[in-house]
Amino acid sequence: MRRIVGVFGTAGFAREVIPLVRRQLAESHPDDDLIFVSPTAEAPVNGIPVVAEKEFLASRKERAFTVAIADGKIRRKLFARAVESGAQPLEVRAASAEVLDAVTLGAGAILCGHSSVTSNTRVGIGFHLNISSYLAHDCVIGDFVTFGPNVVCAGNVIVEDGAYIGGGAMIRQGRPGQPVVIGAGAVVGMGAIVTKNVSPGATVIGNPARAIVKG
């Protein structure tokens, strides 16, 4: 059956995700209609129609979706609205992305080019693994977590719901029973080197990563 496949967002990351979805659909659902979904209808972007969110959510046609918006809180809200409307989450996986043994991926993951999830790792809903990022063995990743480009997350790490890991950041390896934990809603700045646990909601930067003290 012909579906409408919506990519929420029209900004930079969404424009990177659309070609991945298009190539993926060409192999499995070539007749599907691919669109961007935005708060309001707009002119086409890169030749792809832009449909208002209300129109997409109200459609009675079969629909699939992905949310290509980095902010985890916004992503969570849009994901919930789409699911409540009857749309099905779409996993987006670049041809060069790899997923190894005993990996559980939650619904709606986006795995960009040259990214890697190695063995025995569990990932929650709505995960973003950006270009050339690496998620190692025995990790547990919560819902609506974002990894920017070129992130290295070593083994035995827990990243809780809604955390944002900036581009080029590195998280050192934990130990079985003693994982490194990135708390819910935490932000790890670009290029930060995380050597110890990060508290929920904290923002850390630098090498070694230290929390920003709000004045």
Side-chain angles (χ1 to χ4, degrees):
M1 180 180 293
R2 188 169 185 165
R3 304 178 300 175
I4 301 172
V5 178
V7 175
F8 282 81
T10 56
F13 185 56
R15 285 182 265 125
E16 293 176 345
V17 169
I18 276 278
L20 302 181
V21 177
R22 184 170 57 234
R23 293 170 193 166
Q24 188 169 307
L25 295 180
E27 298 180 359
S28 57
H29 294 83
D31 295 327
D32 285 355
D33 295 321
L34 181 59
I35 63 170
F36 285 109
V37 181
S38 182
T40 59
E42 302 172 9
V45 173
N46 291 354
I48 304 295
V50 180
V51 172
E53 180 184 319
K54 287 184 179 180
E55 180 181 343
F56 176 75
L57 297 179
S59 174
R60 294 180 178 274
K61 294 183 179 180
E62 184 176 354
R63 289 159 296 133
F65 75 94
T66 188
V67 185
I69 295 172
D71 187 300
K73 292 180 180 178
I74 296 174
R75 192 154 80 242
R76 180 186 291 274
K77 290 178 181 178
L78 292 174
F79 195 99
R81 289 175 192 165
V83 169
E84 288 168 5
S85 79
Q88 297 296 314
L90 178 72
E91 179 185 306
V92 179
R93 188 184 302 189
S96 58
E98 64 175 7
V99 177
L100 302 185
D101 294 344
V103 170
T104 301
L105 279 178
I110 299 176
L111 308 181
C112 295
H114 306 289
S115 62
S116 180
V117 183
T118 72
S119 300
N120 301 91
T121 283
R122 186 169 77 249
V123 177
I125 296 168
F127 178 52
H128 285 182
L129 188 65
N130 217 306
I131 296 167
S132 299
S133 285
Y134 169 70
L135 175 58
H137 62 88
D138 298 296
C139 290
V140 178
I141 308 299
D143 295 340
F144 304 103
V145 169
T146 302
F147 280 22
N150 299 300
V151 168
V152 174
C153 180
N156 292 294
V157 171
I158 295 173
V159 182
E160 295 179 343
D161 293 357
Y164 184 94
I165 314 300
M170 301 181 69
I171 304 172
R172 77 164 178 86
Q173 182 160 327
R175 291 183 287 179
Q178 291 183 298
V180 174
V181 179
I182 309 298
V187 175
V188 175
M190 292 185 297
I193 309 298
V194 177
T195 59
K196 59 184 180 180
N197 294 348
V198 176
S199 300
T203 297
V204 299
I205 60 174
N207 178 13
R210 298 178 183 274
I212 295 175
V213 178
K214 297 179 181 180

